Amino acid sequence: MNPSVVQAEPRPQGVRTGSHVAAVAMFVVLLASYSINAMDRQIFPLLAADVRRELGFGLAGTGLLSTIFTLGMAVAGIPTSMLLARVSRRTASSIGIAIFSIGTMLTAGAHGFADMLLYRAATGIGEAMQLTVIIAIGASYFARYRSTAIGAVNFSFGIGAIVGPVTGSALLAVHHDWRFPMLVFGALGFAAIALIFATVRPWFSEAQTVEKHVAHLAAATTMWNRNTVLLTLMSLAGGLIIYGYLGMYPTFLREQLHYTPAMTGRVMSAYGIGVFASIAGGWIGDRMSARKVLCVSFVIAAVLGYGLFHAAQSIVAQAALSFAWGLVVSGVIYVNLAGYQVRSVSSHLNNAASGVFVSSLYGSAAIAGYTIGWLASHAGWSVAGITQITLAACIGAALSLGLQPSKMAAASLPARDAASK
């Protein structure tokens, strides 16, 4: 029998029932650990100009360094979902944080392009493990509000996106060495591991969903279905859009618009504030048609992409556009691509669905920084933004029209507790 399937039968003796308050508190601990990832994701692009100047990297190569971690995420997403059949989610998440933290600290000691590329890719393997696990936990325990729970994951990214650039630029101003912020953020990961083992209990982290019969019939019982295929293609487009921005937008601000590190940090923090809409974006996704939510959001993303790389010049305009970008692209598109991917299949495939989402979105994201950097080098930033951001968003909007919301899982019963481990 598939070990990930939990039968709807009486709860075994010795199974502990936890309160929803305790469950939310433990979820907050997991989300806080994910915020540390977000800090590093935002700090490296901020430091990329300093790294490029010291080590002599080209623009396209710097873009690749900024987004190569997504290759590690793409490679590790599906294997992590398979690993979860053999180890607990809590253990898999902690292993991922350790890999991520070690890779971040090793980046500070890199001597050239090749070894730095390796370390940055390794951080992605760790993040994929952590993200896949947190999505699976949120979708399983908070089954009535899957997209909202995933929105909370992205909300925690928003916190890190605000804290990372501001803290990183402050650390850089104090020590004038791009390596120091990397070491600080890497060390924080090990503190997070200790906190997770001290506070997160198996009855929460290993919970499985027992579905209503109707909800079970609505969703596909195999990963090979129309909605999953379309959402996977949209995730590929989403990876180019999201990480084209995250990977090279700070470099665009510093080298094209000549912003200082402090100015760039403020603009990127505005993006992080927009990401705070993720919980609301997930709530909308739980209640509205997947076709409408994603189509409208992708169209708005196309317009915002044009404004970011072509129309806006002032710091106020860039901050406003970055805020809107965080709200729409990260707060709605990212959250609901993950949420609808999970809702497209029966709950015993939650781990697999979250793994497919991570691998597909971050698979294209792995080359997003390189491609937009290459386009900017050969045709200018305006052409790069229109080609990679606006065009890819239009493709995502077109694909969303083929979704079948009626064949996605409806609201489920609350998650049941897994046997204590």
Side-chain angles (χ1 to χ4, degrees):
M1 184 178 72
N2 188 327
S4 65
V5 179
V6 177
Q7 300 295 328
E9 57 188 20
R11 188 179 288 114
Q13 293 295 323
V15 173
R16 181 177 176 181
T17 302
S19 71
H20 288 301
V21 173
V24 170
M26 286 183 278
F27 197 47
V28 168
V29 170
L30 293 173
L31 296 178
S33 71
Y34 189 58
S35 291
I36 297 172
N37 275 336
M39 292 179 193
D40 177 71
R41 291 297 165 243
Q42 295 300 95
I43 189 62
F44 187 83
L46 178 68
L47 300 173
D50 301 280
V51 174
R52 172 168 136 81
R53 183 167 53 251
E54 179 180 325
L55 300 180
F57 300 152
L59 189 60
T62 303
L64 183 60
L65 286 170
S66 296
T67 58
I68 190 60
F69 74 92
T70 57
L71 177 61
M73 295 191 73
V75 170
I78 294 176
T80 298
S81 66
M82 299 170 63
L83 177 66
L84 289 172
R86 295 171 174 79
V87 303
S88 71
R89 290 169 176 166
R90 186 177 65 170
T91 298
S93 177
S94 297
I95 293 172
I97 295 172
I99 293 173
F100 174 88
S101 299
I102 292 171
T104 298
M105 297 177 80
L106 287 174
T107 299
H111 297 290
F113 185 83
D115 58 338
M116 185 176 287
L117 194 69
L118 176 63
Y119 302 145
R120 298 306 296 165
T123 65
I125 294 174
E127 184 173 353
M129 295 178 70
Q130 184 187 18
L131 180 59
T132 300
V133 169
I134 294 178
I135 290 176
I137 290 174
S140 296
Y141 192 90
F142 303 104
R144 286 186 182 273
Y145 308 101
R146 287 186 173 108
S147 293
T148 305
I150 295 170
V153 177
N154 214 39
F155 182 93
S156 68
F157 184 93
I159 294 175
I162 291 176
V163 174
V166 174
T167 304
S169 60
L171 292 172
L172 185 63
V174 171
H175 288 272
H176 304 288
D177 186 348
W178 61 266
R179 296 171 180 82
F180 183 67
M182 305 294 293
L183 293 171
V184 171
F185 291 139
L188 285 175
F190 292 99
I193 293 173
L195 185 61
I196 287 172
F197 273 97
T199 59
V200 178
R201 298 290 176 260
W203 61 259
F204 168 69
S205 63
E206 315 312 314
Q208 301 289 343
T209 303
V210 179
E211 296 178 309
K212 287 182 179 179
H213 183 63
V214 174
H216 179 73
L217 289 178
T221 57
T222 173
M223 293 298 295
W224 185 251
N225 65 84
R226 179 173 177 172
N227 284 332
T228 296
V229 170
L230 286 174
L231 286 164
T232 299
L233 293 174
M234 280 184 275
S235 295
L236 290 170
L240 290 173
I241 295 168
I242 296 170
Y243 282 91
Y245 169 89
L246 288 176
M248 289 300 285
Y249 178 64
T251 301
F252 162 75
L253 293 178
R254 292 190 63 180
E255 298 192 0
Q256 179 71 14
L257 301 185
H258 307 294
Y259 285 13
T260 66
M263 293 168 64
T264 302
R266 287 197 293 271
V267 172
M268 295 307 295
S269 291
Y271 157 78
I273 295 172
V275 177
F276 283 159
S278 294
I279 295 177
W283 184 86
I284 291 171
D286 281 328
R287 285 157 179 78
M288 294 183 64
S289 162
R291 188 186 301 120
K292 293 179 181 178
V293 170
L294 291 176
C295 183
V296 171
S297 299
F298 272 116
V299 170
I300 294 174
V303 175
L304 291 174
Y306 177 84
L308 284 165
F309 289 97
H310 184 81
Q313 296 290 324
S314 72
I315 187 171
V316 173
Q318 286 291 340
L321 287 169
S322 289
F323 168 79
W325 180 269
L327 191 154
V328 174
V329 177
S330 195
V332 179
I333 293 178
Y334 177 93
V335 167
N336 287 296
L337 282 174
Y340 293 139
Q341 190 75 275
V342 172
R343 286 177 54 190
S344 293
V345 295
S346 297
S347 63
H348 72 279
L349 294 172
N350 278 356
N351 291 343
S354 61
V356 167
F357 164 73
V358 170
S359 288
S360 57
L361 187 136
Y362 292 101
S364 61
I367 62 170
Y370 179 85
T371 54
I372 197 168
W374 185 89
L375 287 168
S377 296
H378 290 78
W381 283 104
S382 295
V383 172
I386 291 173
T387 302
Q388 182 155 325
I389 306 297
T390 301
L391 179 59
C394 289
I395 292 173
L399 289 170
S400 68
L401 296 176
L403 290 173
Q404 297 176 310
S406 62
K407 295 187 178 181
M408 293 181 181
S412 304
L413 289 173
R416 301 298 183 187
D417 303 319
S420 298
K421 293 189 178 183

